[in-house]
Amino acid sequence: MKKIPLAIPHMSGNEMAYIEHAFNTNWIAPVGPNVDLFEKKISSYTLSHVAATSSGTAAIHLALIVLGVTAGDHVFCPSFTFSASANPIHYQGAEAVFIDSEIISWNMSPVALEKALLDAKKRNKLPKAVIVTHIYGQPAKMTEILEITEAYGVPVIEDAAESLGSTYKGMQTGTIGSLGIYSFNGNKIITTSGGGMLVSQNETLIQEAKFLSEQAKEPAPYYQHEKIGYNYRLSNISAGIGCGQIEVLDERIMQKRCIFAMYQEAFSELNFQQELPDTFSNRWLTAIQSERLNPLLLKNKLGSEGIEGRLLWKPLHMQPVYKSNSFYSERNTGEKSSAQILFETGFCLPSATQMTQDEQWSVIQKVSEFMELKGNII
Ligand SMILES: *Cc1c(COP(=O)(O)O)cnc(C)c1O
């Protein structure tokens, strides 16, 4: 039985030429022409200054450092996201304060954010930064969020790990806040096997991050260090994969959006993450949501058919490692948070761009069978 995966790397075919070039020129290092070219390509795609990093997580860590986040600081972060959005806050000895999502876009709730900032102001403990994710590719409500954060003078870091190519009012996600990051991990919309990118309109911040990511070597005829450095640059070999991948980014987005559209058409009884007005989602992963959905049961049932699905993010404020961190729900006390509702009633469907229409059709049939959907299934 051929397995149907959730999301897997999908090469363009041109990656090997860039990798061979790295070998032929002996640039087997976290520096070299592929790194430069990959940065140039992402820079012109996003109209931003950029620094290639060894991972998206490393890029978030650098963003926090250049914004001056240090021990004892608070940083706001969505609860409904991957743990890598929040972990770098704790690398800095700072503390994550978790913010609820909204049910429509599944991203940071401006209502919960405002509650949290109001409370922080009262306690005289405003956060040093707010991290906003664009989950599964759907842009968050950036205008509303920036209006609130700007009123409190707090910078925003966009975790656009999953949303390269998604736009908000015509702007690329990741380029709207003070800093943004992309991930090129294996299952993302394009991959370098492992890698990331820090982006910003502010060239000074990017230069500082690049300096820190290369071990903070001061310009001197010997090794001179005035700051703690990191080994966070992207390998020239990995960057070669990225150079081949960026060539097919727009094609992958089109394919992902077709996959989403086919699911949406088939499951008229289920809810989907909504594309807000003026936003364009790369639809990295298609997820369904319904009060009738039992995600664990569905995962097991699909699994027995060789179909890989995944539960939505378990909210970080419900994770054992973050159990003592604060959380601000968009709902009233005593009610379940939106993040928890999403986790308990949502499910990610296979969204690999190599999936054939027949394969997707069989996923649709299995899900319909298990959930006893009627709707407009033919
Ligand atoms: C993948 C991901 C990251 C981490 O990126 P890596 O390149 O794997 O370090 C961070 N945040 C979100 C939302 C992600 O999906």
Side-chain angles (χ1 to χ4, degrees):
M1 183 172 57
K2 193 167 168 253
K3 288 209 187 310
I4 302 179
L6 183 79
I8 47 171
H10 190 173
M11 295 298 108
S12 73
N14 296 331
E15 291 83 2
M16 279 310 284
Y18 292 102
I19 293 172
E20 268 168 29
H21 183 259
F23 274 77
N24 293 340
T25 54
N26 208 30
W27 282 106
I28 313 296
V31 58
N34 285 340
V35 178
D36 295 342
L37 183 63
F38 188 45
E39 283 186 334
K40 217 173 115 197
K41 285 173 182 247
I42 297 285
S43 172
S44 60
Y45 192 88
T46 61
L47 307 175
S48 303
H49 301 284
V50 306
T53 56
S54 51
S55 71
T57 311
I60 297 173
H61 192 193
L62 289 168
L64 294 168
I65 295 168
V66 298
L67 288 179
V69 173
T70 54
D73 286 339
H74 282 183
V75 174
F76 288 5
C77 177
S79 181
F80 185 71
T81 182
F82 183 43
S83 63
S85 299
N87 289 338
I89 300 167
H90 288 258
Y91 301 166
Q92 282 305 95
E95 196 179 311
V97 172
F98 293 114
I99 310 294
D100 203 6
S101 282
E102 45 161 28
I103 288 288
I104 303 285
S105 73
W106 305 7
N107 287 309
M108 184 178 276
S109 154
V111 173
L113 173 65
E114 186 142 41
K115 266 193 208 175
L117 278 169
L118 210 69
D119 196 43
K121 174 112 189 182
K122 258 192 243 153
R123 293 163 189 261
N124 210 8
K125 187 75 188 171
L126 280 176
K128 266 282 175 69
V130 173
I131 296 174
V132 176
T133 51
H134 305 292
I135 224 68
Y136 305 133
Q138 169 58 44
K141 282 188 178 158
M142 290 308 291
T143 303
E144 288 86 340
I145 289 169
L146 286 173
E147 224 172 75
I148 300 166
T149 54
E150 277 165 13
Y152 289 86
V154 182
V156 166
I157 298 169
E158 291 178 77
D159 178 349
E162 303 172 358
S163 67
L164 179 62
S166 300
T167 61
Y168 182 88
K169 296 186 177 168
M171 287 173 286
Q172 289 289 326
T173 54
T175 68
I176 306 159
S178 297
L179 289 147
I181 74 101
Y182 302 115
S183 165
F184 305 112
N185 211 321
N187 65 356
K188 297 286 154 66
I189 190 127
I190 61 168
T191 182
T192 59
S193 78
M197 192 78 71
L198 183 67
V199 306
S200 178
Q201 300 304 315
N202 183 327
E203 191 175 6
T204 316
L205 290 179
I206 292 296
Q207 276 170 351
E208 174 67 7
K210 220 178 247 188
F211 168 77
L212 295 173
S213 74
E214 294 174 331
Q215 306 283 24
K217 292 181 213 129
E218 298 289 342
Y222 39 80
Y223 282 104
Q224 171 82 0
H225 302 282
E226 292 164 17
K227 285 181 178 161
I228 295 292
Y230 298 84
N231 184 6
Y232 275 174
R233 277 295 259 174
L234 182 64
S235 148
N236 190 56
I237 296 166
S238 302
I241 305 174
C243 291
Q245 286 273 284
I246 186 91
E247 294 171 5
V248 290
L249 173 59
D250 289 335
E251 189 184 329
R252 295 287 176 268
I253 293 171
M254 214 180 63
Q255 292 165 321
K256 292 278 191 186
R257 287 179 63 88
C258 284
I259 291 167
F260 181 93
M262 189 162 154
Y263 281 131
Q264 194 177 37
E265 200 172 328
F267 300 135
S268 59
E269 292 167 61
L270 304 177
N271 302 319
F272 290 81
Q273 205 179 10
Q274 283 182 34
E275 209 166 35
L276 301 172
D278 275 339
T279 71
F280 174 87
S281 170
N282 70 9
R283 296 294 189 197
W284 170 56
L285 284 185
T286 297
I288 47 176
Q289 189 269 331
S290 164
E291 273 170 25
R292 292 180 40 217
L293 201 153
N294 180 332
L296 265 181
L297 212 63
L298 186 59
K299 180 182 163 60
N300 292 338
K301 289 200 157 160
L302 291 178
S304 70
E305 303 279 346
I307 298 168
E308 187 192 3
R310 190 165 73 184
L311 273 71
L312 303 193
W313 302 122
K314 180 176 175 181
L316 296 180
H317 76 278
M318 295 167 68
Q319 296 285 357
V321 69
Y322 286 123
K323 65 178 183 297
S324 51
N325 292 55
S326 313
F327 168 68
Y328 289 87
S329 174
E330 67 164 358
R331 300 182 183 230
N332 298 325
T333 19
E335 288 179 44
K336 267 187 195 177
S337 65
S338 300
Q340 185 173 358
I341 292 170
L342 288 171
F343 172 59
E344 289 174 355
T345 59
F347 193 74
C348 289
L349 295 172
S351 307
T353 44
Q354 297 97 327
M355 180 166 61
T356 64
Q357 283 214 343
D358 283 351
E359 284 171 330
Q360 188 174 356
W361 191 239
S362 75
V363 174
I364 288 169
Q365 280 176 324
K366 292 296 168 204
V367 173
S368 306
E369 240 172 75
F370 295 145
M371 290 192 64
E372 292 172 353
L373 297 174
K374 292 162 215 85
N376 50 10
I377 304 291
I378 304 145

